[in-house]
Amino acid sequence: MDISSYVLLSHEQALRRRLDVAANNMANMSTVGFKREQPVFREFVEPSRDAAVDAARNTSFVLDFGAIHDTAAGSFQPTGNPLDFMIEGPGYVAVETPEGETAYTRAGFVKVLESGDLATAGGQRILGEGGNPINVPPDQQGQLTLGADGSVIGPDGPLGRIALTVFDDERAVNPRGDGLMTGDGARELPAAETKLKAGGVEGSNVQAIVETTSMVEILRAYQTSMRMSEALNDMRKSAIDKLGRAS
């Protein structure tokens, strides 16, 4: 396989990665708190001293550099539950996984466990300020309200505060595959910088028309790459035929 085939192969691998990301975005159009992903690529230049002309001395390949999240807000979807919330602005809610680890989510469905702890719809305990769970006494359950700063307020006053966690570099946030995120370099926001809208959740920010258009562009780019590959094969066959006749 010559260098041109390797270049085309790297391009087609990048297109496959783009298609996987676009398909995953489409599959999560109805996932609460989901942020669409965008693949990031970088150029890898391979120098060659054996090129026939100077213009061919550097060969550019496509390398997958990961994916970033589109941080644009999704739409507010009312639920009727006064504890459900939408995060207005950046940030994630820290939760405790069954393995005892800390994960993050923007899905704002909230329920009260039998133990009295606040939890997500999946049953993961929500961690408040300082990484501590928020517990609601049995006689105050069903009488709770949620403040804009994340304060969980019962009839007798505040019971705790849902804290938001931010990451200075969103590239440090990675999906686990179960609707939760993991990340390094987390920083807890103070109450003054926390903004929650109670009574509903944040919908996915995926736009069907954008992802559909992206898929069409990927398909056309792949077809172009295939035509180039076929043209190169025809050139090789023609060269071999001419060499055979010359010998």
Side-chain angles (χ1 to χ4, degrees):
M1 187 181 293
D2 59 25
I3 194 67
S4 57
S5 297
Y6 282 116
V7 172
L8 285 173
L9 180 59
S10 74
H11 178 234
E12 290 164 7
Q13 288 177 327
L15 290 174
R16 179 176 178 178
R17 168 68 168 154
R18 286 184 59 195
L19 184 61
D20 289 343
V21 171
N24 183 63
N25 288 340
M26 289 286 283
N28 285 280
M29 281 186 58
S30 301
T31 302
V32 170
F34 180 81
K35 297 297 185 183
R36 69 181 296 269
E37 292 185 315
Q38 295 175 294
V40 178
F41 302 101
R42 69 176 180 181
E43 180 184 31
F44 176 77
V45 179
E46 177 71 24
S48 174
R49 297 180 180 178
D50 301 326
V53 295
D54 291 341
R57 290 192 183 280
N58 291 327
T59 304
S60 295
F61 296 90
V62 183
L63 293 183
D64 185 357
F65 201 56
I68 59 173
H69 296 95
D70 180 354
T71 57
S75 60
F76 181 73
Q77 300 179 352
T79 61
N81 180 359
L83 289 181
D84 289 345
F85 62 86
M86 170 181 171
I87 300 173
E88 296 187 304
Y92 300 84
V93 175
V95 300
E96 184 181 73
T97 67
E99 299 79 23
E101 300 175 347
T102 300
Y104 305 92
T105 182
R106 283 184 67 93
F109 288 118
V110 179
K111 66 180 181 180
V112 181
L113 300 176
E114 292 183 1
S115 62
D117 292 335
L118 293 189
T120 65
Q124 297 92 5
R125 292 198 305 173
I126 294 174
L127 302 179
E129 289 181 299
N132 299 311
I134 302 171
N135 189 268
V136 180
D139 60 338
Q140 298 189 43
Q141 296 178 14
Q143 307 176 64
L144 303 174
T145 57
L146 183 66
D149 65 349
S151 296
V152 180
I153 305 169
D156 299 331
L159 299 170
R161 189 177 72 85
I162 297 175
L164 295 187
T165 299
V166 294
F167 297 84
D168 294 329
D169 186 355
E170 279 290 325
R171 291 176 297 180
V173 183
N174 298 298
R176 285 171 32 121
D178 56 358
L180 300 177
M181 305 283 187
T182 59
D184 297 320
R187 175 170 56 87
E188 188 176 296
L189 287 179
E193 297 180 30
T194 299
K195 295 181 181 180
L196 302 183
K197 184 176 181 179
V201 294
E202 179 187 18
S204 169
N205 68 351
V206 175
Q207 300 180 46
I209 188 64
V210 173
E211 302 305 328
T212 302
T213 301
S214 177
M215 286 184 172
V216 172
E217 292 175 349
I218 293 168
L219 176 60
R220 289 176 176 172
Y222 186 79
Q223 290 172 337
T224 300
S225 181
M226 291 299 296
R227 285 195 293 268
M228 292 179 65
S229 180
E230 291 171 358
L232 286 172
N233 286 334
D234 291 341
M235 290 174 60
R236 294 189 193 99
K237 290 179 182 178
S238 177
I240 291 172
D241 290 340
K242 291 179 180 179
L243 286 173
R245 288 195 296 269
S247 60

